[in-house]
Coordinates of all heavy atoms in Angstrom, one line a residue:
M230 N 0.9 -1.2 0.0 CA 0.0 0.0 0.0 C 0.9 1.2 0.0 O 1.8 1.3 0.8 CB -0.9 0.0 1.2 CG -2.2 0.7 1.0 SD -3.5 0.1 2.1 CE -3.0 0.8 3.7
S231 N 0.6 2.2 -0.8 CA 1.4 3.4 -0.9 C 1.0 4.4 0.2 O -0.1 4.4 0.6 CB 1.2 4.1 -2.3 OG -0.1 4.7 -2.3
Q232 N 2.0 5.0 0.7 CA 1.7 6.0 1.8 C 1.5 7.4 1.2 O 2.3 8.0 0.5 CB 3.0 6.1 2.7 CG 2.8 7.1 3.7 CD 3.3 6.7 5.1 OE1 4.1 5.8 5.2 NE2 2.8 7.3 6.1
S233 N 0.3 7.9 1.5 CA -0.1 9.1 0.9 C 0.1 10.2 2.0 O -0.1 10.1 3.1 CB -1.6 9.1 0.6 OG -2.1 10.4 0.3
F234 N 0.7 11.3 1.5 CA 0.9 12.5 2.4 C -0.2 13.5 2.4 O -0.1 14.5 3.1 CB 2.3 13.1 2.0 CG 3.5 12.3 2.4 CD1 4.7 12.5 1.9 CD2 3.3 11.3 3.4 CE1 5.8 11.8 2.3 CE2 4.4 10.6 3.8 CZ 5.7 10.8 3.3
R235 N -1.2 13.2 1.6 CA -2.3 14.2 1.5 C -3.6 13.3 1.5 O -3.6 12.2 1.0 CB -2.2 15.0 0.3 CG -1.2 16.1 0.3 CD -1.4 17.1 -0.7 NE -0.5 18.2 -0.5 CZ -0.7 19.2 0.3 NH1 -1.9 19.3 1.0 NH2 0.1 20.2 0.5
P236 N -4.7 14.0 2.0 CA -5.9 13.3 1.9 C -6.4 13.2 0.4 O -5.9 14.0 -0.4 CB -6.9 14.1 2.7 CG -6.2 15.4 3.0 CD -4.8 15.2 2.7
P237 N -7.3 12.3 0.1 CA -7.7 12.2 -1.3 C -8.4 13.5 -1.8 O -9.2 14.1 -1.0 CB -8.7 11.1 -1.3 CG -9.1 10.9 0.1 CD -8.0 11.4 1.0
D238 N -8.0 14.0 -2.9 CA -8.5 15.3 -3.4 C -9.7 15.0 -4.3 O -9.7 15.1 -5.5 CB -7.4 16.0 -4.2 CG -7.9 17.4 -4.6 OD1 -8.8 18.0 -3.9 OD2 -7.4 17.9 -5.6
T239 N -10.8 14.5 -3.7 CA -12.0 14.2 -4.4 C -13.1 15.2 -4.0 O -13.0 15.7 -2.9 CB -12.4 12.8 -4.2 OG1 -12.7 12.6 -2.8 CG2 -11.3 11.8 -4.5
E240 N -14.2 15.2 -4.8 CA -15.3 16.0 -4.4 C -15.9 15.6 -3.1 O -16.3 16.4 -2.3 CB -16.3 16.0 -5.6 CG -17.3 17.1 -5.5 CD -18.4 17.0 -6.6 OE1 -18.0 16.5 -7.7 OE2 -19.5 17.3 -6.3
L241 N -16.0 14.2 -3.0 CA -16.6 13.7 -1.8 C -15.8 14.1 -0.5 O -16.4 14.5 0.5 CB -16.6 12.1 -1.8 CG -17.1 11.4 -0.6 CD1 -18.5 11.8 -0.2 CD2 -17.0 9.9 -0.8
F242 N -14.5 14.0 -0.6 CA -13.6 14.4 0.5 C -13.9 15.9 0.8 O -14.1 16.2 2.0 CB -12.2 14.1 0.2 CG -11.3 14.5 1.4 CD1 -11.1 13.6 2.4 CD2 -10.7 15.8 1.5 CE1 -10.3 14.0 3.5 CE2 -10.0 16.1 2.6 CZ -9.7 15.2 3.6
R243 N -13.8 16.7 -0.2 CA -14.0 18.2 0.1 C -15.4 18.5 0.7 O -15.5 19.4 1.5 CB -13.8 18.9 -1.3 CG -12.3 19.0 -1.6 CD -12.0 20.0 -2.7 NE -12.7 19.7 -4.0 CZ -12.2 19.0 -4.9 NH1 -10.9 18.5 -4.8 NH2 -12.9 18.7 -6.0
T244 N -16.4 17.8 0.2 CA -17.7 18.0 0.7 C -17.8 17.7 2.2 O -18.3 18.5 3.0 CB -18.8 17.1 0.0 OG1 -18.7 17.5 -1.4 CG2 -20.2 17.3 0.5
L245 N -17.2 16.5 2.6 CA -17.3 16.1 4.0 C -16.4 17.0 4.8 O -16.7 17.4 6.0 CB -16.8 14.6 4.1 CG -17.7 13.6 3.4 CD1 -17.1 12.2 3.6 CD2 -19.1 13.6 4.0
W246 N -15.2 17.4 4.3 CA -14.3 18.2 5.0 C -15.0 19.6 5.3 O -14.9 20.0 6.5 CB -13.0 18.4 4.2 CG -12.0 19.2 4.9 CD1 -11.9 20.6 4.9 CD2 -10.9 18.8 5.7 NE1 -10.8 21.0 5.6 CE2 -10.2 19.9 6.2 CE3 -10.5 17.5 6.1 CZ2 -9.1 19.8 7.0 CZ3 -9.4 17.4 6.9 CH2 -8.7 18.5 7.4
A247 N -15.6 20.1 4.4 CA -16.3 21.4 4.6 C -17.5 21.3 5.6 O -17.6 22.1 6.4 CB -16.8 21.9 3.2
R248 N -18.2 20.2 5.4 CA -19.3 19.9 6.3 C -18.9 19.8 7.8 O -19.5 20.3 8.7 CB -20.1 18.7 5.9 CG -21.4 18.5 6.6 CD -22.2 17.3 5.9 NE -21.7 16.0 6.3 CZ -22.0 14.9 5.8 NH1 -22.9 14.8 4.8 NH2 -21.5 13.7 6.2
Q249 N -17.7 19.2 8.0 CA -17.2 18.9 9.4 C -16.2 20.0 9.8 O -15.7 19.9 10.9 CB -16.5 17.6 9.4 CG -17.5 16.4 9.2 CD -16.8 15.1 9.1 OE1 -17.2 14.2 8.4 NE2 -15.7 14.9 9.9
E250 N -16.0 21.0 8.9 CA -15.0 22.0 9.1 C -13.7 21.5 9.6 O -13.0 22.1 10.5 CB -15.6 23.0 10.2 CG -16.8 23.7 9.7 CD -17.5 24.6 10.7 OE1 -17.4 24.3 11.9 OE2 -18.1 25.6 10.2
G251 N -13.3 20.4 8.9 CA -11.9 19.9 9.2 C -11.8 19.1 10.5 O -10.6 18.8 10.9
C252 N -12.9 18.9 11.2 CA -12.8 18.2 12.5 C -13.2 16.7 12.4 O -14.1 16.3 11.6 CB -13.7 18.9 13.5 SG -13.1 20.5 13.9
C253 N -12.7 15.9 13.2 CA -12.9 14.5 13.3 C -14.4 14.2 13.7 O -14.8 14.8 14.7 CB -11.9 13.8 14.2 SG -12.2 12.1 14.6
A254 N -15.1 13.4 13.0 CA -16.5 13.1 13.4 C -16.6 12.3 14.7 O -17.6 12.3 15.3 CB -17.2 12.4 12.3
L255 N -15.5 11.6 15.1 CA -15.6 10.8 16.2 C -15.1 11.4 17.5 O -15.7 11.3 18.6 CB -14.8 9.5 16.0 CG -15.3 8.6 14.8 CD1 -14.4 7.4 14.6 CD2 -16.7 8.2 15.0
C256 N -14.0 12.2 17.5 CA -13.5 12.8 18.7 C -13.7 14.3 18.7 O -13.6 15.0 19.7 CB -12.0 12.5 18.9 SG -10.9 13.3 17.8
G257 N -14.0 14.9 17.5 CA -14.3 16.4 17.5 C -13.1 17.3 17.3 O -13.2 18.5 17.2
L258 N -11.9 16.7 17.3 CA -10.7 17.5 17.2 C -10.3 17.7 15.8 O -10.7 17.0 14.9 CB -9.5 16.8 17.9 CG -9.7 16.6 19.5 CD1 -8.5 15.9 20.0 CD2 -9.8 18.0 20.2
A259 N -9.5 18.8 15.5 CA -9.1 19.1 14.2 C -8.3 18.0 13.6 O -7.5 17.4 14.3 CB -8.4 20.5 14.1
M260 N -8.4 17.9 12.3 CA -7.5 16.9 11.5 C -6.5 17.6 10.7 O -6.9 18.7 10.2 CB -8.4 16.0 10.6 CG -9.3 15.1 11.4 SD -10.3 14.0 10.4 CE -11.5 15.2 9.6
P261 N -5.3 17.1 10.6 CA -4.3 17.8 9.7 C -4.7 17.7 8.2 O -5.3 16.7 7.8 CB -3.1 17.0 10.0 CG -3.5 15.6 10.4 CD -4.9 15.8 11.1
E262 N -4.4 18.7 7.5 CA -4.8 18.7 6.1 C -3.7 18.0 5.2 O -4.0 17.6 4.1 CB -4.9 20.1 5.6 CG -6.3 20.7 5.8 CD -6.6 21.9 5.0 OE1 -7.0 21.8 3.8 OE2 -6.5 23.0 5.5
S263 N -2.5 18.0 5.8 CA -1.5 17.2 5.0 C -0.4 16.8 6.0 O -0.3 17.3 7.1 CB -0.9 18.1 3.9 OG 0.2 18.8 4.5
R264 N 0.4 15.9 5.6 CA 1.5 15.4 6.3 C 2.4 16.5 6.9 O 2.9 16.4 8.0 CB 2.3 14.4 5.4 CG 3.8 14.2 5.8 CD 4.0 13.4 7.0 NE 5.5 13.3 7.3 CZ 6.1 14.2 8.1 NH1 5.5 15.1 8.7 NH2 7.4 14.0 8.3
F265 N 2.5 17.6 6.1 CA 3.4 18.6 6.5 C 2.9 19.6 7.5 O 3.6 20.5 7.9 CB 3.9 19.3 5.2 CG 4.4 18.3 4.2 CD1 3.7 17.9 3.1 CD2 5.7 17.8 4.5 CE1 4.2 16.9 2.3 CE2 6.2 16.8 3.6 CZ 5.4 16.3 2.5
D266 N 1.6 19.3 8.0 CA 1.1 20.1 9.2 C 1.7 19.5 10.4 O 1.5 20.0 11.5 CB -0.4 20.0 9.2 CG -1.1 20.8 8.1 OD1 -0.4 21.6 7.5 OD2 -2.3 20.7 8.0
L267 N 2.3 18.3 10.3 CA 2.8 17.6 11.5 C 4.3 17.4 11.5 O 4.9 17.4 10.5 CB 2.1 16.2 11.5 CG 0.6 16.2 11.6 CD1 0.0 14.8 11.3 CD2 0.1 16.7 12.9
A268 N 4.8 17.2 12.7 CA 6.3 17.0 12.9 C 6.8 15.7 12.4 O 7.9 15.5 11.9 CB 6.7 17.3 14.3
H269 N 5.9 14.7 12.6 CA 6.4 13.3 12.3 C 5.4 12.5 11.4 O 4.2 12.6 11.5 CB 6.6 12.5 13.6 CG 7.6 13.1 14.5 ND1 8.9 13.0 14.2 CD2 7.5 13.8 15.6 CE1 9.6 13.7 15.2 NE2 8.7 14.2 16.0
A270 N 6.0 11.7 10.5 CA 5.2 10.9 9.7 C 4.3 9.9 10.5 O 3.2 9.5 10.1 CB 6.1 10.1 8.7
A271 N 4.9 9.5 11.7 CA 4.1 8.6 12.5 C 2.8 9.2 13.0 O 1.8 8.6 13.1 CB 5.0 8.2 13.7
L272 N 2.9 10.5 13.3 CA 1.7 11.2 13.7 C 0.6 11.3 12.6 O -0.6 11.1 12.8 CB 2.0 12.7 14.1 CG 2.7 12.8 15.5 CD1 3.0 14.3 15.7 CD2 1.7 12.3 16.6
W273 N 1.2 11.6 11.4 CA 0.3 11.7 10.2 C -0.5 10.3 10.0 O -1.6 10.3 9.7 CB 1.1 12.0 9.0 CG 0.4 11.9 7.7 CD1 0.6 11.0 6.7 CD2 -0.7 12.7 7.2 NE1 -0.2 11.2 5.6 CE2 -1.1 12.2 5.9 CE3 -1.5 13.7 7.8 CZ2 -2.1 12.7 5.2 CZ3 -2.5 14.3 7.0 CH2 -2.8 13.8 5.8
K274 N 0.3 9.2 10.2 CA -0.3 7.9 10.0 C -1.5 7.7 11.0 O -2.5 7.1 10.6 CB 0.8 6.9 10.4 CG 0.9 5.8 9.2 CD 2.0 4.9 9.6 CE 1.7 3.5 9.1 NZ 2.8 2.5 9.4
K275 N -1.4 8.3 12.2 CA -2.5 8.1 13.2 C -3.6 9.2 13.0 O -4.8 8.9 13.2 CB -2.0 8.3 14.6 CG -1.2 7.1 15.0 CD -0.8 7.3 16.5 CE 0.2 6.2 16.9 NZ 1.0 6.6 18.1
Q276 N -3.2 10.4 12.6 CA -4.2 11.5 12.6 C -4.7 11.8 11.2 O -5.6 12.7 11.1 CB -3.5 12.7 13.2 CG -3.1 12.5 14.6 CD -2.5 13.8 15.2 OE1 -2.6 14.9 14.7 NE2 -1.9 13.6 16.4
R277 N -4.2 11.2 10.2 CA -4.7 11.6 8.8 C -6.2 11.4 8.7 O -6.7 10.4 9.3 CB -3.9 10.9 7.8 CG -4.2 9.4 7.7 CD -3.2 8.7 6.8 NE -3.3 7.2 7.1 CZ -4.2 6.5 6.5 NH1 -5.0 6.9 5.7 NH2 -4.2 5.2 6.8
P278 N -6.9 12.2 8.0 CA -8.3 12.0 7.8 C -8.6 10.8 7.0 O -8.0 10.6 5.9 CB -8.8 13.3 7.1 CG -7.6 14.0 6.7 CD -6.4 13.4 7.3
T279 N -9.5 10.0 7.4 CA -9.9 8.8 6.7 C -11.5 8.8 6.6 O -12.2 9.4 7.4 CB -9.5 7.5 7.4 OG1 -10.0 7.5 8.7 CG2 -8.0 7.4 7.4
F280 N -12.0 8.0 5.6 CA -13.4 7.9 5.5 C -13.9 6.9 6.5 O -13.3 5.8 6.6 CB -13.8 7.4 4.0 CG -13.6 8.5 3.0 CD1 -12.6 8.4 2.1 CD2 -14.5 9.6 2.9 CE1 -12.4 9.4 1.1 CE2 -14.3 10.6 2.0 CZ -13.3 10.5 1.1
D281 N -14.9 7.2 7.2 CA -15.5 6.3 8.1 C -17.0 6.1 7.7 O -17.7 7.0 7.4 CB -15.5 6.9 9.6 CG -16.2 6.0 10.6 OD1 -15.9 4.8 10.6 OD2 -17.0 6.6 11.3
H282 N -17.4 4.8 7.7 CA -18.8 4.5 7.4 C -19.6 4.7 8.7 O -19.3 4.0 9.7 CB -18.9 3.0 6.9 CG -18.4 2.9 5.5 ND1 -17.1 2.8 5.2 CD2 -19.1 2.8 4.4 CE1 -16.9 2.7 3.9 NE2 -18.1 2.7 3.4
I283 N -20.6 5.5 8.7 CA -21.5 5.8 9.9 C -22.1 4.4 10.2 O -22.1 4.0 11.4 CB -22.5 6.9 9.6 CG1 -21.7 8.2 9.4 CG2 -23.5 7.0 10.8 CD1 -22.6 9.3 8.8
R284 N -22.8 3.8 9.2 CA -23.3 2.5 9.4 C -22.3 1.6 8.7 O -22.0 1.7 7.5 CB -24.7 2.4 8.8 CG -25.3 1.0 8.9 CD -26.7 1.0 8.2 NE -27.2 -0.3 8.1 CZ -27.9 -1.0 9.0 NH1 -28.1 -0.4 10.2 NH2 -28.4 -2.2 8.8
P285 N -21.6 0.7 9.5 CA -20.5 -0.1 8.9 C -21.0 -0.9 7.7 O -22.1 -1.4 7.6 CB -20.2 -1.1 10.0 CG -20.7 -0.5 11.3 CD -21.9 0.3 10.9
R286 N -20.0 -1.0 6.7 CA -20.3 -1.8 5.5 C -20.8 -3.2 5.9 O -21.6 -3.8 5.3 CB -19.1 -1.9 4.7 CG -19.1 -0.9 3.6 CD -17.9 -1.4 2.8 NE -17.6 -0.8 1.6 CZ -16.3 -0.4 1.4 NH1 -15.4 -0.4 2.3 NH2 -16.0 -0.1 0.2
A287 N -20.1 -3.8 7.0 CA -20.4 -5.1 7.4 C -21.9 -5.3 7.8 O -22.5 -6.3 7.8 CB -19.5 -5.5 8.5
A288 N -22.5 -4.1 8.2 CA -23.9 -4.1 8.7 C -24.8 -3.6 7.6 O -25.9 -3.2 7.8 CB -24.0 -3.3 9.9
G289 N -24.3 -3.6 6.3 CA -25.1 -3.2 5.2 C -25.1 -1.7 4.9 O -25.9 -1.3 4.1
G290 N -24.1 -1.0 5.5 CA -24.0 0.5 5.2 C -23.5 0.7 3.8 O -22.8 -0.1 3.2
S291 N -24.0 1.8 3.2 CA -23.6 2.1 1.8 C -22.3 2.9 1.7 O -21.8 3.4 2.7 CB -24.7 2.8 1.1 OG -24.7 4.2 1.6
D292 N -21.8 3.1 0.5 CA -20.7 4.0 0.2 C -21.1 5.4 -0.2 O -20.4 6.2 -0.7 CB -19.8 3.4 -0.9 CG -19.0 2.2 -0.4 OD1 -18.7 2.2 0.8 OD2 -18.7 1.3 -1.2
K293 N -22.4 5.7 0.1 CA -22.9 7.0 -0.3 C -22.5 8.1 0.7 O -22.3 7.8 1.9 CB -24.4 7.0 -0.5 CG -24.9 6.1 -1.6 CD -26.4 6.2 -1.9 CE -26.8 5.3 -3.0 NZ -27.9 4.5 -2.7
P294 N -22.4 9.4 0.2 CA -22.0 10.4 1.1 C -22.7 10.5 2.4 O -22.2 10.9 3.4 CB -22.2 11.7 0.3 CG -22.2 11.2 -1.2 CD -22.7 9.8 -1.2
D295 N -24.1 10.2 2.4 CA -24.8 10.4 3.6 C -24.5 9.3 4.6 O -25.0 9.3 5.8 CB -26.3 10.5 3.3 CG -26.9 9.2 2.7 OD1 -26.1 8.3 2.4 OD2 -28.1 9.2 2.4
N296 N -23.7 8.3 4.2 CA -23.3 7.3 5.2 C -21.8 7.4 5.5 O -21.2 6.5 6.2 CB -23.6 5.8 4.7 CG -23.3 4.8 5.7 OD1 -23.8 4.9 6.9 ND2 -22.6 3.7 5.4
L297 N -21.2 8.5 5.0 CA -19.7 8.6 5.2 C -19.5 9.9 6.1 O -20.2 10.9 6.0 CB -19.0 8.7 3.9 CG -19.0 7.4 3.1 CD1 -18.5 7.7 1.7 CD2 -18.2 6.3 3.7
Q298 N -18.4 9.8 6.8 CA -17.9 11.0 7.5 C -16.4 10.8 7.6 O -15.8 9.7 7.3 CB -18.5 11.0 9.0 CG -18.2 9.8 9.8 CD -19.0 9.7 11.1 OE1 -19.8 10.6 11.3 NE2 -18.8 8.7 11.9
L299 N -15.7 11.9 8.0 CA -14.2 11.9 8.1 C -13.8 11.7 9.5 O -14.4 12.4 10.4 CB -13.6 13.1 7.5 CG -13.9 13.4 6.0 CD1 -13.4 14.7 5.6 CD2 -13.2 12.3 5.1
A300 N -12.8 10.9 9.8 CA -12.3 10.7 11.1 C -10.8 10.4 11.1 O -10.3 9.9 10.1 CB -13.0 9.5 11.8
H301 N -10.1 10.8 12.2 CA -8.7 10.4 12.3 C -8.6 8.9 12.0 O -9.4 8.1 12.4 CB -8.2 10.7 13.7 CG -8.2 12.1 14.1 ND1 -8.9 12.6 15.1 CD2 -7.4 13.2 13.7 CE1 -8.7 13.9 15.3 NE2 -7.8 14.3 14.4
A302 N -7.5 8.6 11.4 CA -7.2 7.1 11.1 C -7.3 6.4 12.5 O -7.8 5.2 12.5 CB -5.8 7.0 10.5
A303 N -6.7 6.9 13.5 CA -6.6 6.2 14.8 C -8.0 6.0 15.4 O -8.4 5.0 16.0 CB -5.7 6.9 15.8
C304 N -8.9 7.1 15.3 CA -10.2 7.0 15.8 C -11.1 6.0 15.0 O -11.8 5.2 15.6 CB -10.9 8.4 15.7 SG -10.2 9.6 16.8
N305 N -10.9 6.0 13.7 CA -11.6 5.1 12.8 C -11.2 3.7 13.2 O -12.1 2.8 13.3 CB -11.1 5.4 11.4 CG -12.1 4.9 10.4 OD1 -12.9 4.1 10.7 ND2 -12.0 5.4 9.1
K306 N -9.9 3.4 13.4 CA -9.5 2.1 13.7 C -10.0 1.6 15.1 O -10.5 0.5 15.2 CB -7.9 2.1 13.8 CG -7.3 0.8 13.6 CD -5.8 1.0 13.5 CE -5.1 -0.3 13.8 NZ -3.6 -0.1 13.9
R307 N -10.0 2.6 16.0 CA -10.6 2.3 17.3 C -12.0 1.9 17.3 O -12.5 0.9 17.8 CB -10.4 3.5 18.2 CG -10.4 3.2 19.7 CD -9.7 4.2 20.6 NE -10.1 5.6 20.2 CZ -9.2 6.6 20.0 NH1 -7.9 6.3 20.0 NH2 -9.6 7.8 19.8
K308 N -12.8 2.7 16.5 CA -14.2 2.4 16.3 C -14.4 1.0 15.6 O -15.3 0.2 16.0 CB -14.9 3.5 15.4 CG -16.3 3.3 15.3 CD -16.9 4.3 14.2 CE -18.2 3.8 13.8 NZ -18.8 4.5 12.6
G309 N -13.6 0.8 14.6 CA -13.7 -0.4 13.8 C -13.4 -1.7 14.7 O -14.0 -2.7 14.4
A310 N -12.6 -1.5 15.7 CA -12.2 -2.6 16.5 C -13.2 -2.9 17.6 O -13.2 -4.0 18.2 CB -10.9 -2.3 17.2
R311 N -14.2 -2.0 17.8 CA -15.2 -2.1 18.8 C -16.1 -3.3 18.5 O -16.6 -3.3 17.3 CB -15.9 -0.8 19.0 CG -16.6 -0.7 20.3 CD -17.1 0.7 20.5 NE -18.1 1.0 19.5 CZ -18.5 2.3 19.1 NH1 -17.9 3.3 19.6 NH2 -19.4 2.5 18.2
V312 N -16.4 -4.1 19.4 CA -17.4 -5.1 19.2 C -18.7 -4.7 19.7 O -18.9 -4.3 20.8 CB -16.9 -6.4 19.9 CG1 -17.9 -7.5 19.7 CG2 -15.6 -6.8 19.4
E313 N -19.7 -4.8 18.8 CA -21.1 -4.3 19.2 C -22.0 -5.5 19.3 O -21.9 -6.5 18.6 CB -21.6 -3.3 18.3 CG -20.7 -2.0 18.4 CD -21.3 -0.9 17.5 OE1 -22.2 -0.2 18.0 OE2 -20.8 -0.7 16.4
Ligands
ZN141 ZN1 -10.5 11.8 16.0

């Protein structure tokens, strides 16, 4: 897997980013816009914005914008690991 230093520059990403004003949907803190906002690549790996399915795909959630939000990679991972 290639390591990206920037979030995906897609219309969907920009729409969600604007809607959330650059904040994580799970913890509410600001997300970095690029690797170069942070001192270390390791931080970027944890804090980079990622797409989160509000209703998990495993539970039948769609890939449509109304089922997606942006969250830190670490928050997304934490949520994904939660057993419900
Ligand atoms: Zn977060």
